[in-house]
Amino acid sequence: MNHVKYRVGKWLPSDRNFLNKWIEKKIAQVNANPLPLNPAIEDLRNAIYNDAVLYMSFTSMYDQIPQGYNDQVKNFETMLQIMNQILREGPCYSQIEDQIGLVGFPINAILDWAMGTEGGYLAFTNSLVNQKLQVILNEWKNFLESSESTYVLVDGPIEQPQPDYTAPVGWFSPEALEAIASMDPLRGEGNDPYDALQNFIYNYQCQPDKPHFGYKSWDDFFTREFNPGVRKVSEEDKDSAVIVNACESAPYNCVTNAMMKDKFWMKGQPYSLLDIMDNHELAREFGDNSTVYQAFLCAKTYHRWNSPVDGSIVAIQNVPGTYYSEAPAEGYDPAGPNDSQGYIAELAARALIFIKSDNEKIGLMCFVAIGMAEVSSCEITVKPGDYVKKGDPIGTFHFGGSTHCLIFRPGVNINFDFHGQTPSLNTYNIPVKARIGVVK
């Protein structure tokens, strides 16, 4: 059985034929078994029809897609119908003809080209639209946190009460377990390094002898924790000058010239600190020429956040934002919005955690968890006044974990360790709690 190649983060297949066939089959599914619109979907639909600018934006975004880019979704009514279907489904692998692939961002998949149009830019930066999308995604989050979502946590083909034309495959099938194991940068530490099932059991807290491996919901599976000792801060990295990886993630970018205010929507997507930090009062503690390290998370791996330093939690804040906006300078981003990770640091739904490091050479720094598309539930699990050791848990993404930033003030000189890689869209995971830098 062939497997499709993936885009950065492994959230969507890079094989356009596979993705087009997946969309075709979802359209066939909703046509064969149309469901009453969820009130949250109905609310967005009404908002579109009741606002001339929104109606123009949502209509024109499909008219503006170049011919041949997306021939399946013709209008926003079809878009809404597919979104409505997805709200009752858990993410899973799909078997289409002789290929198996993960469509981890199903709503993103149906908006893939539309969000890159002028109409899409206007629609997905609109505050009312993002309020409506937040309610829709919360509806899906509620389903993914419920026991109903465990139907995707099986070891073979998924049985559903209604027909699913994509022939879904469960997360404990050999194909899915191998995909999870393939993303493990430390694969080989288990009892059998080449056995994907044993790799999973070795790494993650689970109960293989119970239904669904003991997970109570899709979200319970997705926010799974490592077994004790699988990821830990080494003795030499406990030195206060060492900065460890806050997430199991791949390095995307690292700059030492981030400005307080910059044109983040332009080519190169420069960081604009005041915008990233939502004009938080502590943002003024930073300044021009700050350092920003950004890394992205994969769909199949650990999605909790851990403190990169020893220190005290000074402030926290959840920031509402966009869900499907991408940088206009990227044009038709085929991985939208993955190629726009710098841009969405300023706009997407995100969480800020300000930490005062014990090391005076670091001082105040900021961890920023950034949601992307469906991955936008950022749960902070610490509060101001808490003291954390590096590697301690500080929060988690629900349904995934898009990207994150570590921000350091000017004058904090760090020798970064990218584990033999150059930050880009083509890097591999660095283990969480592993060293990524040392303060000079």
Side-chain angles (χ1 to χ4, degrees), residues 108-161:
N108 190 105
I110 63 173
L111 299 176
D112 203 10
W113 298 110
M115 69 173 82
T117 65
E118 181 180 348
Y121 180 76
L122 292 173
F124 297 120
T125 54
N126 182 281
S127 59
L128 178 62
V129 169
N130 283 296
Q131 290 171 20
K132 304 298 184 186
L133 286 172
Q134 182 183 38
V135 176
I136 290 170
L137 294 177
N138 280 339
E139 285 287 307
W140 198 25
K141 179 174 178 286
N142 290 338
F143 173 76
L144 296 177
E145 290 178 336
S146 74
S147 59
E148 292 179 76
S149 64
T150 57
Y151 78 96
V152 299
L153 304 179
V154 295
D155 61 2
I158 293 172
E159 300 294 333
Q160 290 184 300

Side-chain angles (χ1 to χ4, degrees), residues 274 277-286 314-315 317 354 364:
L274 284 173
M277 299 179 187
D278 197 40
N279 293 290
H280 193 283
E281 60 183 4
L282 287 176
R284 297 294 177 183
E285 298 289 321
F286 295 77
V314 179
Q317 182 175 328
F354 293 90
L364 183 70

Side-chain angles (χ1 to χ4, degrees), residues 33-302:
N33 183 46
L35 301 175
L37 285 184
N38 181 287
I41 299 285
E42 184 73 45
D43 197 30
L44 174 59
R45 183 177 184 273
N46 290 338
I48 294 171
Y49 277 107
N50 291 334
D51 186 306
V53 174
L54 290 186
Y55 182 77
M56 176 182 66
S57 300
F58 275 88
T59 300
S60 64
M61 73 169 70
Y62 287 102
D63 295 339
Q64 291 165 357
I65 297 174
Q67 187 174 3
Y69 276 66
N70 184 343
D71 296 324
Q72 292 82 20
V73 183
K74 304 290 188 182
N75 50 59
F76 70 83
E77 289 283 6
T78 302
M79 172 199 82
L80 293 172
Q81 289 290 339
I82 302 176
M83 289 173 65
N84 188 60
Q85 178 68 44
I86 288 167
L87 294 187
R88 302 299 299 172
E89 297 179 350
C92 57
Y93 280 78
S94 294
Q95 181 174 332
I96 298 176
E97 296 177 358
D98 64 341
Q99 292 184 308
I100 286 182
L102 171 66
V103 181
F105 275 175
I107 296 175
N108 190 105
I110 63 173
L111 299 176
D112 203 10
W113 298 110
M115 69 173 82
T117 65
E118 181 180 348
Y121 180 76
L122 292 173
F124 297 120
T125 54
N126 182 281
S127 59
L128 178 62
V129 169
N130 283 296
Q131 290 171 20
K132 304 298 184 186
L133 286 172
Q134 182 183 38
V135 176
I136 290 170
L137 294 177
N138 280 339
E139 285 287 307
W140 198 25
K141 179 174 178 286
N142 290 338
F143 173 76
L144 296 177
E145 290 178 336
S146 74
S147 59
E148 292 179 76
S149 64
T150 57
Y151 78 96
V152 299
L153 304 179
V154 295
D155 61 2
I158 293 172
E159 300 294 333
Q160 290 184 300
Q162 301 295 338
D164 186 332
Y165 293 82
T166 64
V169 180
W171 279 94
F172 298 122
S173 64
E175 298 88 351
L177 286 171
E178 178 56 38
I180 292 172
S182 70
M183 300 306 299
D184 179 8
L186 299 180
R187 186 177 186 180
E189 291 190 351
N191 295 330
D192 182 348
Y194 303 106
D195 186 295
L197 174 59
Q198 290 304 315
N199 183 269
F200 186 92
I201 294 170
Y202 174 83
N203 275 328
Y204 298 107
Q205 295 181 25
C206 62
Q207 299 170 288
D209 57 332
K210 292 190 176 181
H212 316 300
F213 274 43
Y215 295 114
K216 305 302 182 187
S217 66
W218 155 262
D219 185 72
D220 190 30
F221 160 74
F222 211 86
T223 59
R224 61 192 180 274
E225 298 188 58
F226 282 119
N227 283 315
V230 169
R231 298 287 192 273
K232 59 185 178 182
V233 178
S234 67
E235 285 301 318
E236 57 268 29
D237 289 347
K238 290 180 180 178
D239 186 300
S240 67
V242 174
I243 298 161
V244 300
N245 204 17
C247 301
E248 188 104 342
S249 54
Y252 167 73
N253 196 14
C254 186
V255 302
T256 57
N257 62 346
M259 307 298 282
M260 291 297 287
K261 196 75 175 177
D262 214 334
K263 297 178 180 179
F264 58 86
W265 57 90
M266 304 299 288
K267 270 293 184 187
Q269 302 170 43
Y271 296 103
S272 181
L273 300 185
L274 284 173
D275 293 296
I276 292 174
M277 299 179 187
D278 197 40
N279 293 290
H280 193 283
E281 60 183 4
L282 287 176
R284 297 294 177 183
E285 298 289 321
F286 295 77
D288 289 345
N289 297 311
S290 288
T291 294
V292 179
Y293 169 77
Q294 185 170 7
F296 60 88
L297 287 78
C298 170
K300 310 175 189 74
T301 52
Y302 176 81

Side-chain angles (χ1 to χ4, degrees), residues 238-240 242 307-312 355-359 387-391:
K238 290 180 180 178
D239 186 300
S240 67
V242 174
S307 181
V309 296
D310 298 331
S312 300
I355 307 172
K356 178 70 176 294
S357 170
D358 287 350
N359 189 309
Y387 182 80
V388 290
K389 299 290 288 183
K390 68 180 69 173

